[in-house]
Structure formats: C-alpha cells, structure tokens
Amino acid sequence: MSLIEKAKSHIMSRRSFLGATATLAAGAAAAVTLPGCGLQKVDSSVAELADKEGEWITAACWHNCGGRCLNKAYVADGVVVRQKTDDTHEDSPDYPQQRGCARGRSHRKMVLGADRLKYPMKRKNWEPGGGKKELRGKDEWVRISWDEALDIVASEIKRIKEKYGNASFFLPPGGSGGDMEPIRLMSAYGGCTTRWGDVSWGAWPVVWQKVTGITTDNGSMAGNDRFRLRDSKLIFLWGANPAQSSQGTPTFNYLQAKKAGAKFILIDPVHSETARVMADEWIPIHPATDTTLVLGMAHHILTNNLLDIDFLDTYCVGFDADHMPDGADPKDNFKDYVLGTFDGTPKTPEWAAKICGVSADKIRQLAQEYATTKPAAIITGGAPARINNGEHFPHAIMTLAFMTGNVGKPGAGVSPNMHNRATNAGPVLVQPGASGLPAIPNPLAKSKINSGEMWNAVFTGKYTASKGVQKNINIQMVWNWFGNTLNQRAGTTRGIEAHRKVEFVLAQNLFLSTDARYSDVVLPVTSQWERLGGLLTGNREILIYFRQIMKPLFEAKSDMWIATELAKRLGINPTKAINPLSEAQMLYNQIAGAKVMKADGTGYEKLVTLTAEDIKELGAKGTPQTGRISYKEFKEKGIYQIPRSRGDKLEFTSFEDFIGDPVGKKLATPSGKFEIYCDSLAKAIEKVGFTTKSPLPKYEPSREGYEDGAKNGYPFQVITLHYYRRSHSTLDNVLWLREAFPQELRINASDAQKLGIKNNDIVKVTSRHGSVIRQAMVTERIMPGVVALGEGAWVEMDEQAGVDKAGCTGILDGHIPTGQGHTGFNSCNVKLEKYNQPLDPDVKWPQRIIF
Amino acid sequence: MTKVNHASSRVTPLLELRLFYYDFLRRTFLMEPTKDFLVFVKNSMIAPDFPLASESGMILEGVQQIKDYLSKNDIQSETVCNDLHWEYTRLFIGPYQLPSPPWESTYLNEERLLFQKETLAVRKAYLKYSFLPVEFGHEADDHLGLELDFMFRLSELCLEDNDQNGVDLRQLLIDQKSFLEEHLLQWVPKFSQDMIQHAETDFYQGMGKILQGFLTLDLEALLELLTINS
C-alpha cells in the first residue's frame, strides 16, 4: 500500500476514534499556541534586503591598541551585516592568523553607534571670544550648518591671530598615524604651537638611544623575533602584559617559547592576564621601585662571582674603575655604586627589599637564576618606565643584562619589545609606500610645550623651552582632533580649567568625547570605514589593505575636507598648500610603493603588481609595475603576510653583529660600546630642563613614587592599565564593551578589608590632582598597597561632588614634567575611602547623543 | 480549515499527516518544553497508533520510548518539567559544549561555526516564500526548529486553496523536496545520532528517532505525491 493510501486509512480510523469532524492537523495546531520564535511572513522590501548578496570587505581596525589584526565586514547594499577576522589561511604557530579581539569585533557598534556626531554643533552660549566660557562641558548644544560652523571657526582664527598672534593657537594632538590636517592648515597660515613628550614608551626612548647609539628605534623593535624567542631558556616579562596591551599574535608567540621549554617570570604589581597564561612565577612589586630590584640583583651577581667579565670588558664602558670612558671620574663607576664603596649604601637585596617589597631571598634567587641560565631574555613593557623621572630603570635593567652577557645571542636580550612589535623584534619585513603628501613646515616649529606643562602654561603664560630657558606664551585657542588629548594626558583636572579659560575651543571627532565635550564648536568627522581606504602596519610580517565600507554617515566629513574648506575661508589656496593630491592618488602611492623583504634577507622588492587596469580602477596616475602578488589578491584578501619558518634568513636578534665583531661593527655611541656610564644621556636629560640624571643607573625615587605617598597621606599607589574595553580612550562608548568590561578599581583583599570595602562597593580615589569614583573589584591578584584602574575612560564629572564618575586616570595623574619630558602615569599616590553615593554600571549610562 | 481542489483531494490525508508531523517536530525543537507542549505530546500519544509509525522502525522505536517515559513520569509534576527543560537546554542551548548543536551550519562546515554560507542558503529558501525568522539577524536562520517551521508553513500552503492563492501545489512539493534533500537530510542524520547518543531521557531520545524516521519517510511521501501530481 502506498503512503497516500496508508494516510487515508489512518485518518479514517482516527476520525472514528476522535469524531468525524476532527482533523489531526487542525487539532494539533489549535492545541498550543506557538510563541514568537519561529518564522514570520515579511513584506517584499524586507525580503529583498535580506536576500541581497553581500561582500566581505577588509575593514580598517585602525586604533593605537598595540596590536594589528585583520577585520572584515560583510556589507550588503551598504549595510554592515556582520564582521569576521582573519580566515585567509590556516592557523599555525609558524604562520599564525592575525585574529581580532573583542574591540575589533565590536567595531560595527562604534562606527554605526547611535552616539555618532551627526552634524556640526555649537555651544548654546557661545559668542565670539568665548561667551560664558565656564559653561564649556555643561552647556547645551545647537545644531548648525557646515557653512555656519566653518564661518565661525575661520572668523575666530582670524580674530585670534590678529589679537594674539599665531603662537596663541595650540594644537596638542600628536603621535603616529593621521595626516595632522589642522596642523597643515595652520602651518600654511603662519604657524601654531604644538605639544611634545612621550606618552607610551615612558623613559625608554632617550635611554635606549644614548646607551646603544641606535637612533632609529626607541627599543620597542629590539630583542628577538618570534622564532628566536623559542631559543630562550628563561624569559622575564617585566611590567609587560601583552595579553592585554598587545593583543593579536604576541601571547600566542610567547606560548610557543613556553612550549619550547622557556621558563617565564613575571614582575608586575598586578597578576595580569599574561601572568595567568604564562607565569611560572609572579613577583609582585611596588610601582616605580623596579630599579631597586634590579640593583639588588646586580649586588648578588657582583658579590657571587656570577659576572660575565669578558662581556663587560669587551662591549661596555662604565662598569668598573678600569673601564671608564675618557674624562669620567673613575670613582663614578657602576660596580662601586652597587657595592656602596663611596656613598656608604651597599645596594644589597635587603636594601632593595625594603623599597620594592620583594623579599631579599627572592631577589637573590632571581639573580642567581638569571645569571646562571643562558640564554635568558628580559623583556619589559613601557609601564615600569612610565614613571616620573624614570630614566634610571631602563638604564639599570640594560646594565643587568650586560653583567651576565645576555645580549646579542639568539634567545638572549634586554629591551622594551612592546606595543605592536611585541614578540617580533627586527626590521620591518613588509611596509607601505609613502602617500606622497608633501609636508608643510610649521613656521613656529620651536613653539612646542611639553605634555606636563601645557595646561599650566595656559595660566602662567610660560613654558620651558630648554634648561634655564622659560618662554612666554599666550594660548587662546585649543584645537583638538585625532587624539583625545584632554582625556589622555596627565593633568586632566587642570586641562578642564584650561579649556574654560581660553577664548576658543574647537574639536573634530566621531563622538562627544572628552575633547569635544569641552569645546565651543564640534565638527563631525568620518571614520576610516567611510573613507576611501588605506594601508595598515602592525607586527613586522603583515600589511593590511582596507577599503571603504560605507558612505559617510549623516553630515560627517573627513579632516582633510575640513582643513580644505577652512583654507578657502582663510585665503589660502587649498589645492596648492593643503591638499595637493587626491585621496585616490595617495592610496595608489602607498600601494605602488609597498615593499617586502626578499627571502634571503638582502633587501626589499616591490610587493604589488599593478596593471594599467588596476591603476585605472584605483583612479590614480601611475606606471604599471611587477611585484610579488597581484593587486587583485591584495584587494581580495586584504592582507599580505610574509611566509616565515624556523631557520629562515629573516630571523633576528638585536646586536648580533656587534657581539660578533665589536670593532668593525662598533656601536654609534661616543665609546663605540654599550654605555653603563653614559654622559650623553645625562647631558640630554639635563638639557631638557626639568630634572637631572647621573650618567650611571642609580635609584632616585620618582616624584610621587612609592616613598612620596607613604609619608604624605596618600598611602596607596595607583597604576594605569591598558584596558580590554578600549584602545586607550577609543571604543569606550561601545555598549557591548561597557557591559563586558566594567572599568573596575582593582584592590587587594587585605587592603579592602582594612577599609571596610567589599566587592562592588563604590570607592573614592583621591590623588593630589583629582578624585574619581569606581566600583571595587576585591582581588588577590594585585600587590597590597596598590590599586589599578584602566586608562582611557571618558571623563564624566559630577561637578558638585568634584569627582569623575568614569574613573579617568588622567584626573588622578599629575601635570608633572620630568626627565625627557615623558609622562609618568604609573607614579601617582592616592588615598581611598568608601563612597556613600550609588553609581550605575557604565552600560546603563545614557549615551552621549545630542542629535 | 482546508478547502482542497478536486485534483488533490485524494492526497489530502497524507498532506494532513505531514502537517501534523512538522507541527509536532517544530514545537519539539523550536524552544524549551512548556507544560502545554507536554500535554500536546501526551495527547498525540493517546491514539492507538501514531500516524505512519508502522512505516518506519525509527518512528516506532521513538514513539515507544516517549510512551514509556510518559507512563513513568507525570508531566504535571514540576520535577519532570524541570528535568525535560534542563535536558533541552543542555542539548541545544548551553552553556557548556553542545553535544548536538541544532544548526545546520555547525554540521556542514568544518569549524562548526554559526551564520555561515549554509545559513544564507537556508535564508534564500525562506525568502522565496517571504519568510524570515522573527529574530532575524540575531538567531541563525538554519536552526532546526526554523527549518521544520518552514516545512510546516509550506505543508500548510499545500492544504490551502491553491486556485485562490496562486501557488502551485506541484511547485510547493518540489520546493519541499529540494529543501529536504539540500538541507534537512544533509545534516539531521548526524544531528539526530548525536542527540540520541547524548540525550539522557527516553523523551528526547525518542524525539530524535521520530525526527530522523519522519524526515526519511517524508522524502518518500513527497516522491509519491509528485508522481500523482505530475
């Protein structure tokens, strides 16, 4: 019998069972209503949209996050439906995928956020010259047309120039990336005052360059490449937390070294995410005291005959009285400083333990292990040197490596190998060409104020130009874009006051970030997803080609368009001075000029083959060329990753050539050697004009370091973390990320108990410079006496209570210029108290939507 | 509910049974069991013979297991409801590794990912009839419950007045056959195996068997219906 017949007989018998009228189907459907989780009928327009074939396009993930990954957007009819990351090849330890993090994968939520700035706006009470300037940050906003906005900006610029001169324009953004369009414009208009001072690298750059003679690097590109790391038997990660600060491949690369047998010791006030993955041992330490631990270890090495004397004699100057550079006092040598021969203070492990909080026995054990395990590498992040007058730490830790000869051999090394170079030291293997955009020299190039003085200078009218040279300045306009200067430099409290003092404040941004919030006029700019495209570099093995994902949202315009339009109003020929090349031509130039290292390591060859059709498609002028890969492949994959394997000719260890030939390949220092006694360093720091440093590495407590707080009523030290939620301050507004990462204050359980603080209690943190409130995360994973807060939260002042509710670390950190002019975010003393007002979780805060 | 044109009246009983099955199965797999649902299942099992069960050993076994379960467990009791609710959660929702993830793409691509090309292919099939998941964009379109719901919707259309709504019965049958062959039967055999292996109750083991048994049988049914309607 067929199924049709079977069914018929079933229904017949069923009807006789249930009654003639009941059909099975109708009975079933009526039995239970189906809740709204199945399919629904949609109208044809919805159906059409959902049916559109989309395309995966490589999307910019352009932030200064310390990593660089492939980010792709699935775009259907201009709608970004979803994202993915690197699946262009199989993942393996030797040829890893460049996979994105929580932030990269939330990108859609940022670019398409409801809180994007959509139109130009002015502050309601704004008038030429200010207009209730004290309301900046609190005033209401009024939507205006682009014409009105540009007219206001141009007329204020003209007025301020006439009244106060070009030096009164202060354009503080800086750093890598971006074409610095407003500075181009102002340079063409007679010049402007800018900002200087390292933010990320701490005190490393000048020390690295003076001690090694290498001026093309700040140390972050130095060390071993990822294959040579696997030769290490022991790796100290000293204040380095790549799992958080360098997402992407670094932690994976370290894991390969661990699998190959390396032991990992992590020195950090916080038991970091990296410690969780990697640490065989975690050594908690008081912030800003690492130099004492180094000196205590040096003392043990010195007094227990663990020195590599040959190395010191051959490759270094300044270790002992017999190897001093010309003209130096022989008594001023490192060995006698450590032994306390002349100052009466031997830098014993016991001496160090009292300051750094690591026990003397542990210091001896670390020293013994380091000096007797070879090759061993010391890899630091910027954090331990990101302290006020912090130059001694880099100098001391390099010296420690010199004492044991752990330099210049595969698997050995000492360097701040960090940021997107972490775990992959060495020359760049693939890089973009130049865009060809000609530089415009700033006629006021010397009018540059240090990060640690800039906001004070608004009030004092003075800044330090160099040692003993104070110059007058009258800042009347602050212009912010690209960065989030007010939020991200130390001294935010002072910065807000400064923003309320000057006559005009202008911001270009995607959001009402802190910079924008305290402005008079805000101009909405496009994100990289709305621009033509570009190339991004990260670790040395990759080059990413991202393309336009969508049209500009609402009335957002590019920074270059804004500069161009303002130029017209200021009487400057924009195509001649500001914007001589089309966006397409600049993109083409970068692609055509891209180059890749040859497999034998002898030099570069062109990366991309470009046919006449390719050039036409790009909308540029150029000559066809032959390179390693086709333009089509580059465009479709969106990435080129150079093939690597163990033993290839691209492996790298810093100083291998110098160690192999100390005479022929001598260093570019005055002595030709590593300078433990480094007069050029001392002179360079002195010349800056803030503080001095001895030519030797010594321990000098940092301003607002460990000792300072204990005796002055600020018994805790706060350190600032690169936080999972953001790339510095970027992406802080994304709700997904706010929910996942709540911006907690980490506090040790014993401290919390003493203060009566429980998990999730709101705590007020007060430094000499400002107060923030945050919910506590009570944990054993932080050193007692230390609290930690992620940097980059967008200031949200409770003006009445005088506290920042967001927990912006810039509010806590002082506006303090020291050393080479870097910022000392990790030397800051605070006191803590339980706060009796509630604080909603950040994810529940209203978004900053003004139109 | 059904006004069937003359040509198809002979096949109506089979079309009705198919509608019953897809309704039964979509309710089983779309969401965690509710009390109403369990009553519905119990009622469906009361009749002396479960439709077409004699045509498939798998269905027969499955029905027997569910009947056993229902005879030993009182579906009015909270404990029983909670047990079944947890069983569904553990098998199809999480939080731990899912022993039988109920999405086509997790069976058909190597990395067991969601929202893959399989999902888009399924969406295309739905869109031919202007259907989309209620939670479009949030829920993957190729969830088993949704695929079964789709078969249910088309089975429903088969019973509607084909002259009036302009949908050709033959085309509906062809599209169901393609969907069954290109989608459900591509992955459900492996899925139901996983489900039967990992389910801890006779109830869900039985459901796995009915699912597998019926889909295989329905392909035969569709072939037969197409011969009649050619």
Side-chain angles (χ1 to χ4, degrees):
Chain A
M1 201 166 34
S2 70
L3 284 168
I4 291 172
E5 295 308 316
K6 287 254 170 71
K8 211 164 163 182
S9 78
H10 178 88
I11 294 280
M12 294 306 284
S13 69
R14 182 84 173 170
R15 280 196 181 130
S16 63
F17 179 74
L18 286 173
T21 54
T23 71
L24 240 177
V32 197
T33 52
L34 198 63
C37 59
L39 297 173
Q40 63 180 342
K41 200 94 181 169
V42 293
D43 69 30
S44 58
S45 62
V46 177
E48 205 176 298
L49 187 67
D51 199 24
K52 271 257 152 64
E53 276 291 337
E55 177 191 9
W56 283 108
I57 303 179
T58 297
C61 201
W62 65 89
H63 309 293
N64 182 20
C65 60
R68 186 64 73 222
C69 314
L70 191 62
N71 197 342
K72 292 197 174 190
Y74 189 78
V75 187
D77 198 29
V79 176
V80 183
V81 183
R82 58 186 174 277
Q83 289 180 239
K84 69 174 180 180
T85 185
D86 192 1
D87 59 357
T88 55
H89 60 86
E90 290 292 314
D91 192 38
S92 71
D94 285 3
Y95 198 57
Q97 293 175 344
Q98 311 289 331
R99 296 208 298 261
C101 67
R103 297 165 298 185
R105 292 168 197 243
S106 309
H107 228 276
R108 206 159 48 104
K109 299 285 170 183
M110 173 181 113
V111 173
L112 295 162
D115 54 348
R116 276 285 297 269
L117 291 174
K118 302 168 187 75
Y119 311 103
M121 285 174 311
K122 70 173 179 187
R123 195 164 60 76
K124 192 172 178 184
N125 285 285
W126 175 83
E127 285 167 17
K132 296 197 181 162
K133 298 187 291 187
E134 71 283 2
L135 287 182
R136 287 183 187 139
K138 297 184 269 193
D139 212 344
E140 286 172 31
W141 293 98
V142 183
R143 179 182 165 182
I144 53 178
S145 69
W146 267 108
D147 273 337
E148 186 183 351
L150 294 165
D151 288 345
I152 289 175
V153 174
S155 67
E156 282 298 279
I157 289 175
K158 282 183 200 160
R159 187 183 63 75
I160 289 167
K161 179 181 171 104
E162 204 166 297
K163 195 166 169 194
Y164 303 105
N166 276 73
S168 64
F169 299 123
F170 184 46
L171 282 68
S176 53
D179 286 323
M180 296 293 131
E181 297 84 352
I183 294 181
R184 295 179 69 77
L185 173 66
M186 296 313 271
S187 296
Y189 190 60
C192 60
T193 298
T194 53
R195 179 195 64 84
W196 71 278
D198 260 308
V199 180
S200 301
W201 317 106
W204 269 101
V206 176
V207 179
W208 179 264
Q209 294 178 353
K210 296 298 180 189
V211 171
T212 66
I214 294 172
T215 54
T216 50
D217 182 17
N218 51 28
S220 69
M221 291 165 75
N224 288 286
D225 86 318
R226 62 191 178 91
F227 288 103
R228 292 276 176 92
L229 267 185
R230 301 180 196 173
D231 295 331
S232 296
K233 291 205 175 91
L234 173 66
I235 295 177
F236 278 85
L237 288 181
W238 200 308
N241 180 15
Q244 202 146 353
S245 311
S246 301
Q247 293 183 61
T249 51
T251 306
F252 188 55
N253 292 338
Y254 277 131
L255 269 175
Q256 308 317 315
K258 192 171 175 70
K259 276 186 198 158
K263 175 177 178 181
F264 279 78
I265 298 176
L266 274 90
I267 297 173
D268 200 314
V270 171
H271 186 263
S272 63
E273 301 310 315
T274 309
R276 224 164 140 161
V277 180
M278 220 70 71
D280 294 289
E281 232 182 306
W282 170 49
I283 313 291
I285 186 168
H286 293 135
T289 67
D290 300 71
T291 305
T292 63
L293 173 56
V294 175
L295 293 172
M297 287 170 69
H299 190 276
H300 178 86
I301 290 168
L302 232 164
T303 52
N304 287 275
N305 296 321
L306 299 170
L307 289 171
D308 187 336
I309 291 288
D310 279 350
F311 188 95
L312 286 166
D313 290 353
T314 314
Y315 302 105
C316 306
V317 292
F319 181 72
D320 56 31
D322 298 332
H323 299 85
M324 294 299 283
D326 292 341
D329 179 354
K331 284 183 178 173
D332 216 359
N333 67 78
F334 186 68
K335 182 176 171 182
D336 282 314
Y337 170 70
V338 172
L339 294 175
T341 313
F342 302 110
D343 68 0
T345 307
K347 313 303 175 300
T348 60
E350 282 73 15
W351 166 86
K354 277 188 198 140
I355 304 169
C356 70
V358 181
S359 75
D361 281 348
K362 182 54 75 180
I363 296 173
R364 273 188 281 273
Q365 180 219 311
L366 292 173
Q368 186 75 25
E369 200 168 348
Y370 177 58
T372 56
T373 312
K374 290 173 188 178
I378 295 177
I379 301 164
T380 88
R386 217 176 284 130
I387 54 175
N388 293 328
N389 45 298
E391 279 76 13
H392 284 296
F393 169 71
H395 200 183
I397 205 162
M398 289 167 81
T399 302
L400 188 69
F402 302 152
M403 289 169 69
T404 60
N406 258 319
V407 172
K409 298 149 195 165
V414 57
S415 64
N417 181 213
M418 63 170 133
H419 197 250
N420 55 26
R421 296 304 169 74
T423 67
N424 219 343
V428 175
L429 300 176
V430 50
Q431 56 183 306
S435 72
L437 187 66
I440 304 177
N442 181 357
L444 297 180
K446 286 190 174 162
S447 188
K448 269 174 104 82
I449 314 179
N450 181 253
S451 309
E453 286 190 327
M454 59 182 172
W455 304 134
N456 273 339
V458 170
F459 295 94
T460 62
K462 292 197 185 315
Y463 72 96
T464 305
S466 63
K467 187 194 172 191
V469 182
Q470 294 282 306
K471 286 200 170 165
N472 294 326
I473 191 85
N474 181 6
I475 296 170
Q476 290 301 344
M477 172 175 171
V478 177
W479 188 344
N480 284 309
W481 75 98
F482 181 73
N484 197 357
T485 306
L486 178 55
N487 203 78
Q488 293 303 103
R489 304 290 169 264
T492 303
T493 310
R494 190 71 164 145
I496 291 173
E497 293 163 7
H499 276 63
R500 287 178 174 155
K501 176 164 185 298
V502 300
E503 294 193 356
F504 189 55
V505 186
L506 171 64
Q508 299 166 205
N509 212 301
L510 283 95
F511 305 99
L512 197 68
S513 65
T514 306
D515 272 358
R517 181 176 202 151
Y518 289 90
S519 299
D520 292 316
V521 172
V522 175
L523 306 178
V525 296
T526 48
S527 73
Q528 295 289 351
W529 282 23
E530 295 143 80
R531 298 184 186 180
L532 187 63
L535 302 187
L536 284 167
T537 57
N539 69 57
R540 68 189 196 128
E541 298 173 5
I542 60 166
L543 186 63
I544 290 171
Y545 174 23
F546 67 87
R547 291 186 291 134
Q548 184 161 4
I549 300 295
M550 55 197 229
K551 295 196 182 94
L553 282 186
F554 300 91
E555 291 186 3
K557 302 284 186 189
S558 72
D559 293 301
M560 190 61 102
W561 182 89
I562 294 169
T564 304
E565 292 303 308
L566 286 173
K568 291 177 195 163
R569 286 167 169 79
L570 295 174
I572 299 162
N573 180 337
T575 40
K576 208 170 154 195
I578 310 296
N579 189 8
L581 296 175
S582 72
E583 225 180 330
Q585 190 65 42
M586 287 196 277
L587 176 59
Y588 164 80
N589 290 346
Q590 286 176 273
I591 296 170
K595 50 188 190 171
V596 56
M597 183 68 78
K598 295 177 193 161
D600 62 8
T602 55
Y604 293 97
E605 62 189 8
K606 281 198 164 68
L607 176 65
V608 186
T609 295
L610 287 156
T611 63
E613 291 78 56
D614 296 332
I615 299 169
K616 202 175 151 203
E617 183 193 316
L618 278 159
K621 286 191 186 124
T623 325
Q625 64 178 40
T626 309
R628 194 181 280 191
I629 57 168
S630 71
Y631 174 69
K632 186 168 176 282
E633 180 186 341
F634 195 35
K635 181 178 151 187
E636 276 169 14
K637 282 193 177 162
I639 187 170
Y640 176 75
Q641 182 171 343
I642 193 168
R644 293 292 318 273
S645 59
R646 186 78 242 233
D648 68 14
K649 298 279 191 249
L650 308 177
E651 289 192 358
F652 179 82
T653 301
S654 288
F655 305 113
E656 230 179 345
D657 49 353
F658 171 54
I659 300 306
D661 180 5
V663 179
K665 299 277 172 64
K666 69 176 184 179
L667 300 178
T669 55
S671 62
K673 299 181 177 186
F674 291 126
E675 300 210 331
I676 297 172
Y677 181 99
C678 191
D679 191 46
S680 64
L681 172 58
K683 288 210 166 79
I685 300 300
E686 189 185 9
K687 195 178 160 199
V688 171
F690 298 137
T691 51
T692 57
K693 179 193 177 298
S694 94
L696 283 181
K698 294 183 175 178
Y699 179 61
E700 283 176 343
S702 285
R703 200 169 142 193
E704 302 201 11
Y706 169 66
E707 297 85 344
D708 235 5
K711 56 187 186 212
N712 288 306
Y714 295 92
F716 287 89
Q717 291 180 276
V718 65
I719 56 167
T720 67
L721 307 173
H722 289 94
Y723 193 58
Y724 276 131
R725 175 157 125 192
R726 321 173 266 267
S727 164
H728 297 301
S729 70
T730 307
L731 295 144
D732 187 47
N733 51 328
V734 174
L735 297 181
W736 275 9
L737 296 168
R738 287 194 161 209
E739 189 176 354
F741 311 110
Q743 177 71 357
E744 72 287 358
L745 176 82
R746 297 183 201 186
I747 176 171
N748 182 276
S750 63
D751 291 332
Q753 200 184 13
K754 276 180 225 151
L755 294 164
I757 291 166
K758 292 189 299 297
N759 222 16
N760 292 325
D761 279 355
I762 307 306
V763 179
K764 182 177 176 187
V765 186
T766 304
S767 76
R768 295 171 177 87
H769 315 285
S771 294
V772 307
I773 54 170
R774 273 287 105 187
Q775 72 276 28
M777 177 177 128
V778 177
T779 174
E780 298 288 352
R781 291 177 57 194
I782 189 166
M783 174 108 178
V786 184
V787 291
L789 204 51
E791 54 96 13
W794 293 8
V795 171
E796 190 69 54
M797 287 305 295
D798 177 340
E799 301 251 356
Q800 227 164 7
V803 298
D804 163 38
K805 297 192 289 182
C808 170
T809 52
I811 292 281
L812 297 173
D813 283 316
H815 195 47
I816 301 168
T818 67
Q820 59 196 266
H822 63 286
T823 306
F825 295 105
N826 287 330
S827 46
C828 180
N829 311 131
V830 294
K831 56 186 176 189
L832 308 175
E833 60 197 296
K834 208 166 147 177
Y835 194 68
N836 51 16
Q837 299 292 320
L839 179 67
D840 276 341
D842 297 2
V843 69
K844 296 205 171 146
W845 292 9
Q847 287 183 281
R848 297 182 182 178
I849 301 172
I850 35 183
F851 268 103
Chain B
M1 68 176 281
T2 51
K3 278 188 204 140
V4 184
N5 64 25
H6 183 73
S8 59
S9 62
R10 207 186 127 204
V11 300
T12 304
L14 183 55
L15 293 178
E16 283 189 8
L17 287 189
R18 293 183 65 248
L19 186 67
F20 162 76
Y21 260 103
Y22 282 116
D23 192 30
F24 184 86
L25 290 171
R26 69 178 180 143
R27 288 167 192 278
T28 305
F29 290 99
L30 262 175
M31 58 176 297
E32 301 95 321
T34 59
K35 248 186 193 152
D36 283 351
F37 167 74
L38 294 175
V39 171
F40 162 67
V41 173
K42 189 160 186 172
N43 290 341
S44 310
M45 297 287 165
I46 289 173
D49 57 334
F50 198 77
L52 305 179
S54 56
E55 300 306 302
S56 155
M58 281 291 268
I59 297 180
L60 210 55
E61 264 181 56
V63 169
Q64 198 48 53
Q65 267 182 287
I66 294 173
K67 281 186 173 171
D68 284 353
Y69 182 85
L70 294 174
S71 69
K72 288 178 201 146
N73 296 280
D74 175 12
I75 54 163
Q76 297 298 335
S77 105
E78 284 301 318
T79 325
V80 171
C81 284
N82 283 341
D83 282 356
L84 290 175
H85 196 279
W86 168 241
E87 173 101 319
Y88 183 97
T89 308
R90 189 180 59 79
L91 289 169
F92 308 129
I93 296 179
Y96 310 114
Q97 172 123 13
L98 294 178
S100 49
W103 295 275
E104 179 173 329
S105 68
T106 61
Y107 278 89
L108 297 187
N109 72 63
E110 240 171 71
E111 293 176 77
R112 312 209 85 177
L113 298 177
L114 295 178
F115 282 104
Q116 300 301 298
K117 62 178 192 300
E118 296 83 7
T119 318
L120 294 176
V122 167
R123 182 179 305 163
K124 262 196 171 330
Y126 295 168
L127 283 169
K128 181 173 177 192
Y129 291 91
S130 296
F131 287 120
L132 276 181
V134 172
E135 295 287 326
F136 176 63
H138 300 285
E139 279 279 358
D141 310 51
D142 56 349
H143 188 281
L144 177 59
L146 294 172
E147 294 195 358
L148 293 167
D149 193 25
F150 179 60
M151 290 299 280
F152 171 81
R153 303 295 185 120
L154 296 196
S155 304
E156 213 172 26
L157 285 176
C158 288
L159 283 162
E160 279 175 17
D161 188 336
N162 292 315
D163 294 335
Q164 222 172 62
N165 65 22
V167 182
D168 174 28
L169 175 61
R170 184 175 158 71
Q171 193 57 48
L172 278 167
L173 294 172
I174 290 173
D175 287 342
Q176 288 189 85
K177 179 172 164 278
S178 314
F179 193 77
L180 198 57
E181 287 178 324
E182 286 165 23
H183 297 289
L184 283 160
L185 286 175
Q186 288 295 318
W187 66 285
V188 167
K190 182 82 188 52
F191 163 84
S192 55
Q193 231 174 31
D194 287 344
M195 178 180 166
I196 293 162
Q197 189 190 335
H198 293 282
E200 283 165 8
T201 60
D202 277 336
F203 185 87
Y204 277 106
Q205 280 181 17
M207 288 297 186
K209 288 177 185 170
I210 295 178
L211 171 72
Q212 173 58 28
F214 175 71
L215 293 184
T216 315
L217 193 65
D218 193 39
L219 186 60
E220 276 179 51
L222 285 165
L223 285 168
E224 215 178 286
L225 289 164
L226 277 165
T227 329
I228 299 281
N229 277 273
S230 57

